[in-house]
Amino acid sequence: MKILLIEDEAKIADFVLTGLSSAGMHAEHLADGSAGLQRALSTPFDAIVLDVMLPSLDGISVLKRLRASGLATPIVLLTAKTDLQDRLQGFEAGADDYLPKPFFIEELVARIKILINRQAGLTASLIEENGLQLNRISREATWSDHQATLSQREFTLIEYLIRSPDHIFSRNQILKHVWGLDFDPKTNVVDVCIQRIRKKLIHPRKGDPKNFPIESIRGIGYRFRKA
């Protein structure tokens, strides 16, 4: 497993690097946000461990730019901020997981392994419903001849809906299943993720948003419309 660590605190970086190495992972370390962004875009990694507070470019900005580029590599955020809103901001930006400081290296290693195994698609199969196809190996989705690579959260959300077509899921249910969070009426993380999915899969010229199978049910949540 090849891991990119973007962390500016030397003691934490050494702690993480030692722990990852002991777990049999090869880790590369950069202490600057801009340098980490360029490295992540130019070199394939199995996972990225990203600090939020970084020099030159903060971790949330790095995360947003990586996701905007289409990079689907699993990303774990490290931060001293523990408030729910801070975690939600990270998830809305496209993080796959969030670990507050201080933390046990064993937990970080376990979370990285889970994310990498999920991305690898341990159960190789294609899922298809109402014209939308999900590839569980490549984590790609295809709709109306338009293909896109999804982040882990985006893929998990679509898979959650598509496996129960026509069933209406509340935002609370989606938030709990996809993010592992209890409902907060002030968060729109589910809606933001759905918007990202629609933007990725609806072709700007050829796609018809009205036919997209993920529907918003006003006042309740979302469902995947059966053909």
Side-chain angles (χ1 to χ4, degrees), residues 109-212:
V109 168
R111 293 186 183 217
I112 290 173
K113 287 181 177 180
I114 289 171
L115 292 175
I116 291 176
N117 286 341
R118 284 178 182 170
Q119 187 184 40
L122 295 181
T123 306
S125 63
L126 292 175
I127 306 171
E128 187 168 6
E129 180 67 49
N130 197 4
L132 194 150
Q133 185 183 82
L134 292 179
N135 187 318
R136 300 189 72 229
I137 300 176
S138 64
R139 210 164 65 199
E140 290 179 330
T142 303
W143 183 73
S144 190
D145 296 324
H146 189 55
Q147 188 178 74
T149 300
L150 305 177
S151 71
Q152 183 65 55
R153 300 284 178 187
E154 293 163 353
F155 189 92
T156 302
L157 197 159
I158 291 185
E159 186 178 18
Y160 184 49
L161 298 180
I162 200 173
R163 287 192 177 279
S164 300
D166 280 344
H167 180 83
I168 300 174
F169 291 93
S170 69
R171 288 174 175 80
N172 187 14
Q173 289 173 309
I174 297 171
L175 195 65
K176 186 69 175 178
H177 178 82
V178 180
W179 284 269
L181 297 173
D182 292 322
F183 182 65
D184 179 350
K186 293 179 289 185
T187 182
N188 65 341
V189 65
V190 174
D191 304 286
V192 170
C193 190
I194 293 287
Q195 290 170 11
R196 283 204 308 264
I197 291 170
R198 291 173 64 88
K199 187 175 181 180
K200 284 186 175 183
L201 290 178
I202 299 175
H203 194 284
R205 294 185 301 276
K206 301 177 183 179
D208 185 353
K210 294 181 180 179
N211 293 330
F212 193 65

Side-chain angles (χ1 to χ4, degrees), residues 30-55:
L30 289 169
D32 176 271
S34 295
L37 172 64
Q38 295 306 314
R39 188 62 173 165
L41 290 174
S42 63
T43 305
F45 290 93
D46 295 303
I48 297 171
V49 179
L50 175 63
D51 186 29
V52 171
M53 302 299 293
L54 292 168

